[in-house]
Structure formats: C-alpha cells, structure tokens
Amino acid sequence: MDDLLWLDRIQPSNRLQVGEKAFYLSQLRQKGYPVIPGFVVPSPVLRQFLETIEWLDPLFADLPSSSLYVDVENPYQLQQVAQRIRRAIMAAALPETWESTLLAASKKLQGQGLILRPTLALPSHLAFGSTEKISGLLQSHVCACTGEAIAFSVKRVWAELFRARSLLYWQRGGIKLQQIHLGILVQPIDDALASGRVIATQEVWEIQATWGLGIALVRGEVFPDYYQVQPDSGAIAHQHLGSKTIAYRLSQANSASELALSQQQLHATQDSPASYVATASKDDNCLQTYLLSEEQQKQYALEPKYLRELIELTHRLRADLSPTLILEWTLALKDAGLEAQLYLTQAYPRPPDGASSPKSSQADTGTRGHGDAGSFSLPVTPSPRLPFDSSSSSPDRPSPLSSAPFSGNPPMPPTSDQIATIRGLAASSGRAIAKALLLAGKIDHPEQLPPGRILVAPSITPDWLPLLQRAAGVVAEQGGMTSHGAIIARELGIPAVVGVSGATTRIQTGDFVMVDGDRGEIYRLEFGEGHRQEFYPHSVPQTLQSFTPLATRLLVNLSQSGAIENAKVLPVDGVGLLRSEVMMLEILQGQHPSLWVQQKRSQQLVERLTEHISRFASAFAPRPVFYRSLDLRSHEFQSLEGSPSFSTTSNPMLGVRGTFSYLVYPEIFQLELNAIAQVYRAGYNNVRLILPFVRTVEEFSFCRRQVEQAGLSQYAQFQLWMMAEVPSVLLLLPDYVKAGVQGISIGTNDLTQLLLGVDRDQSQMASAFDSRHPAVMRAVQQLIQTAKQQGIPTSICGQAPSEYPDLIEHLVRWGIDSISVSLDAVEDAYSAIARAEHRIILEASRRHLGF
C-alpha cells in the first residue's frame, strides 16, 4: 500500500497497475490538461487483500487465482455466489497501515469529499476490454475524507468486481479473475455547476450537459441539453434544451454551489436555497438529489462562455489524443466564488464508425493500446440480429431491413402499414422488430421476464443485464449515451433509443414496434393477422395449435413468473404445481423468511407474495392454480441471511422440512396463508393450496386449523390438498380424507427416493433412482385407486411424467384426474394423453361391438 501512484507520476509501464481510465487521465494531466489531481490504489493491492481473507467455502478457497466458474444461467446461484463473496470482502478489515496511508494521501487532495472510481485493464484480445464498453459496469463511490469511510469505500469498489452482473459479464466474455487488473482512482469531489459528456467523431461533435454533478446523467434520470458542433469551425449547428428536473450535489450544505446555480437562472433570483428539496441520499449520505426550479429547467446548463471553453478543449484533445474521442467533464465549484472551473473527469479515444481495433496496436503486456495514447482504439459494436428473416417480404409486413448499422445513407422510410410514433436519442445502432414489453417500477428479477421483446421503461438499471441479454431492443424515457440502458445495449449489440418522452404511455405491452437505433425513432407496426404468428418469439407448437379437449386434465408445473407468458397460451387446464420455494427467492432478497419476521417486515413480505401469486392467478383464471406451500429444506435455504439454526442438518431430505417445519416455526406458514387470503379478497378464487411432505395426520390437522384461522375455509372455491410423497400416505389415506384432505398430488421424486432408499440429490445414486421401478408404480396405482374410492381427485406432479411420457398411458388407465408436467414437456404429454384416451375408447368400442 506504500506504492500509491499519483496521476502526476504515472508512466506507461504502470498501465496494468492503474487501469485504462487512470492511465489516460494521467497522460493528459502531465500534458497540462485540466484533470483533477488524484492517486491510484494499484491493482496488486486487491490481490493482496483477497489473500488475507480466510475463505471457508471450498468454492472460494483459491479465489485470488480462481477462474470462479458459476452457472450464470441460474439466477439464484449467481446472486448467492455474488452476495457471499461481497459480504466476505466487506467484513474483512483493511490493515491499519493501509488505512493510515490512504487517509494521509487523501488529505492532500483537499476536497469537500472523495470519489473512488474503478479503473480497469483487461486482456487485449477481449472485446470486453474497451473503456467505453466497461463504463457503467462497475460503479464509483463517494465518501467523506475519514479513515473509516475511505476504507469502507475502497472495499465497496473492490466488491463491484463480484456483483452478479459483473460475474455474468466476466464469464460470458471468457475473462478469468487473474486477467482482471482493477485499480481505484481516488480524487477530490466538489459540488458542480454542471456536468456532461462530449462524443466527437470525424463528422460531428455531440455535447450533453445537465445541472450539478454528473450522477443524474449516468443514471439516466435526466434528458440532457444537447448540442451538435461542427468539428472544423466549432460552430453550433444545432442545440436542443433537455428535460432536467433534478440534480445531484454533495449532501453537506454548500452555499457556494447553491448561489452559483441560482445565478445561472438569470431572472430566477427569487428562489431561496430552501427550495431545493432533498429527495434521496446515496453512497452513505454523501450525495443528495435536489429539485430544480422551473426557471432552471427552462435554461441550458452550460453558460455560453463555458460552452466555448469546452469546444476549445475538445479541439486540443483531438490533436493530442485522437480525432474521434469521448470525454466527460464537470464545472467544479471549488471555493465560495461564483466562477466554476472546467475539469476533465474521463477521456479516451474512440474509433470512427466502421473501424476495427487493430491488433498491431496491442502491447505485449496484455493491456489494450500500450504506448502512445493515440494508438488506442475500440472494437466495433456488432450488428444486431433481426427477429425475423429479412430475405422475404409481403404487402402486410415492412420491407426487408438491413442488419447493418446506418452509415450515412438515408434510412428506409416506414411502409404504409407502419406508423411513426415518437423520437428520442439514438443510443445503440441497429434495427429490430418485436413485441413490446412495458416495464414499470422495480423489477426484482428481470432475468425471469419473457425474452425476445422490445423493452419499454422509464429507465434501465444495470441490474437488468440478464433481461437485456435476451431483449430484442430497448426504449427508455430517461437517459442519454451514458445511461445504463444505452451502455449495456451497445455492449450486447441490440438497438436502443433513450430519452423518449411519453414512451410508456404511447407504447403498450403486446404492440409490435420497430426500434431504429440509428435515427432514434420508434414505429408502432400494424400487420395483417396472418403474419402475427411469424413475429411472435415463442409461438405455440404446431401440434397444439388445433387440439381437442382431453378427458384427463393436463396441467403445467411452474415456479417463476417469467414463464407465465409462455405457459398461459398453451392448451393446459391450469397450474398443477406452483413451487413456492423458487418463487419466494424472487422476493426474499437473499434473506430467510424468518429474518423478515424478526425485523417486523412480515406485512411487506405478505404483500410481495400476494402480488406474485396474483400474477399466476390472474393469468390462468378461471383455470386452477395449485400453490404448494414452502418446503424449506436446509441445503436449499441455509445460505440465506438469517437462516434459523434448526434448518441445518446432515440429511436435508429427512430433516426439518415440509409441514413438520410449520409446527416448529408456524409464522412463515401463516404468512403464506395471509397472502392467499389476500389473493381471494382481491377476487381471484382459483388458487388451491397443497401441503408439502406431510408425514402424519396430526401434521395435516394442525395445518387445516391454521387454514381455518386465516379465513380461507369461508370461500367455497378454496381447496386444501396435500402431497402424497411420504410412504405413510399409502396406508393412511382414508384417515387423511376424514381429517379434511380434498385432493392429493403425487410427488414421484420424494416417493421414489423414500420407497427405494435412494437420495435423489446424490449423483452417485442416480442409476438406482428409478421412478418406473415396480414398487413405485404399484404405489402410484394404489394411491390413485384409493383416492377414487374415497371420492377425492388425484393429480401427479413429479418429474416422472415429464421425463417418461410412456408412463402417462398407465396413469390414464388407472383413472388419474390430472397430470402436471414441466413447461417443455406439455407438447409430448398432450400427445401421450390423447393417444392413451384414444386407445381406451377404441378398446371399449371393440369390446362393446364384440371384436
């Protein structure tokens, strides 16, 4: 930690240690450009820090040199791994000598606060290594100049490397942990009059500006002022006033900043500092938003003299850095005076459109563009793929679209059945046609929403990366080129238009839209009905488009709300198994339900669970939705924060789980019942309750009393079922019916492992786990026949019917009422049921006719 690298003294040989952002700023500062002073915590310090942590889990034992493979297609595992690593980092203490060194260096900077900015160097052969592409992936953090605050913020920046979106990014890019060089650039931060960005190409310069610190622009919370500048003359070719309602400042009172801002209002000197209303605080209360007055909203954030200074600065940078470049700037207010000072906060070259990143410019050190700054260049964003074959056209569809980005030729005008709707800022090139998906409010698990859509939202946050990976395009009301939605869209190669006023009111879910990311235009399309099927990304299988009703009900097993859109259009009679465990993970935020109860957030959890259950109920109404209450097996939930001690067991399959856990910890079950009751009060009467892993009649009776106390028994449509998966149910089913069971759902997974004595989670026992074993088949047959004798319906929801469609004919012949299978098995199950019923009818007809 003694070898902190100051911007004034960074050399090309330090490039790996300090990262691209700090390296470029250091070169510019040493050439006399207005770069805020600062120092870098070099990348080797992070590796030293990770080696001090005692990683208890074998997965993380070799973390400092690990490739850290995680299943990025498993959102739950990805989130859990990310949380555990970041918690370990935040819990570890920095050595006292490190903390004192950081504090001493920071005091030399003499700012109102500090900003700690991640600065990366990645392998040159990876397209992910460009500064432009990485920008926005790792967040900067602001803190006070105290030892404790600095140490905390340093760890927060390091932890950014292990966010879920970051882990997904590294793995998708084939980047190993040891290939990542993460430094931390520490600079003073002061309140700003205005901030923004310049994007300079050979043909035109674009300048964006907003009031205050640049946080609002980065987060896409404002639509900035926009200028087009002619490169040769520096003349303003076009300018447009943005939509700016809020700005950011440091949270401590700063009269100089408020005074300077109010002076820029010209005729708005009546507003007092008290009129700036603090609405939120970020980064440990170091940042604060405030509302801009109506007069400020009507004015450009850049005063003409500062605009001229910025244009002159860009001219100089083109000569020293690159003819095409991107820079970020701020007008800092460093003292009580009214004059702001222009500073560069980031600058790097950008290749002209269509250029590629030359391999010859790469250094042997493994970082991009080693040597003179002017040799650095970025790769071209790949062209997006259209969601239909553009080689054919018809009068009822738009003309074929080129998948190549627009490069100067006039774009194709919309055809007669396209209606141009709204315009915005072209943020990511390309065009795409798909159905729109309107998103409003917080999306807890965006990766579970339907893929292949044009996302329309007020703004896009970085946590939506899993969803954006599967999107056809992006439309956002807020943001500019630096907003998260624009940055990620460019990285993924999907078209994006941002800063689109009124997008969420003028475009509805299900509308066919075309996004033109080159012109910044969105068209709502009208097609003949005969062509809608062609554009729908998840069509119903051909064999199911024309179907006849089945005597045996076909149901579907679901667990994630993102599967609703695909499932509800299938010819199923409802949801036979809604797995609460997976659904709960969408809303628990990494915390065990018991912790929500302890923290007196029970009602909040009930409301969230009610909302999720209602999604399924409304989508399938009036078809039934069988909700199975929580089966909290320890190996699946012990990693959640606040997991109770009783949940830890050496044998989770036979531990405290199922309805027995309700006896030990009834509060969680009561939360579920309250949520179901609220669903019924909201008017959805198609939800049924299935109790999991019932061992005894007494356990069931306890649960039935809880159901009655929750008021669910008063609803005539409500039914209380139980899973038939413990062998004792084979012998005691009549007793369960007397106790109030209204139906059973056979769980072949647990039934098989308990009948055969095979742990289904042990891979070594896979060959012995056989749901078609004669003992299992006879048990299933007995359960169906006994249930028929007792006058209650029977369903089956285990994996067996999905995995072995040939079992379905046996189930139909035994008289099962319904069969529930996984989403991908619906087509095969439908065909198998239809064949079985056809054979039974044919055999009965032949017997009747005497054949």
Side-chain angles (χ1 to χ4, degrees), residues 32 35 37 78 99 255 299 323 328 365 374 429 434 476 592 620 739 758-759 830 842:
V35 174
L78 182 62
E99 187 171 324
S255 58
Q299 294 181 16
E328 295 175 9
T365 59
S429 64
H592 196 278
F620 288 91
V758 177
D759 188 341
Y830 173 87
L842 182 60

Side-chain angles (χ1 to χ4, degrees), residues 634-672:
S634 61
H635 67 309
E636 295 176 336
F637 283 81
Q638 65 182 356
S639 61
L640 295 180
E641 181 182 355
S643 178
S645 58
F646 73 76
S647 69
T648 303
T649 176
S650 59
N651 191 341
M653 287 299 180
L654 296 178
V656 181
R657 58 171 295 197
T659 52
F660 184 84
S661 67
Y662 304 166
L663 301 175
V664 178
Y665 202 83
E667 290 86 351
I668 298 176
F669 183 52
Q670 290 167 3
L671 294 179
E672 291 184 276

Side-chain angles (χ1 to χ4, degrees), residues 137-139 141 156-163 165-166:
L137 181 65
L138 308 183
Q139 295 181 9
H141 293 280
R156 290 181 74 182
V157 176
W158 283 338
E160 289 286 330
L161 199 64
F162 302 99
R163 284 188 176 275
R165 63 173 182 264
S166 301

Side-chain angles (χ1 to χ4, degrees), residues 565-595:
E565 288 298 316
N566 293 340
K568 71 179 184 180
V569 298
L570 295 174
V572 294
D573 296 296
V575 178
L577 176 64
L578 177 53
R579 296 184 180 90
S580 58
E581 298 82 27
V582 179
M583 188 181 71
M584 266 288 200
L585 293 176
E586 297 185 42
I587 61 179
L588 287 175
Q589 298 179 335
Q591 298 177 327
H592 196 278
S594 61
L595 184 60

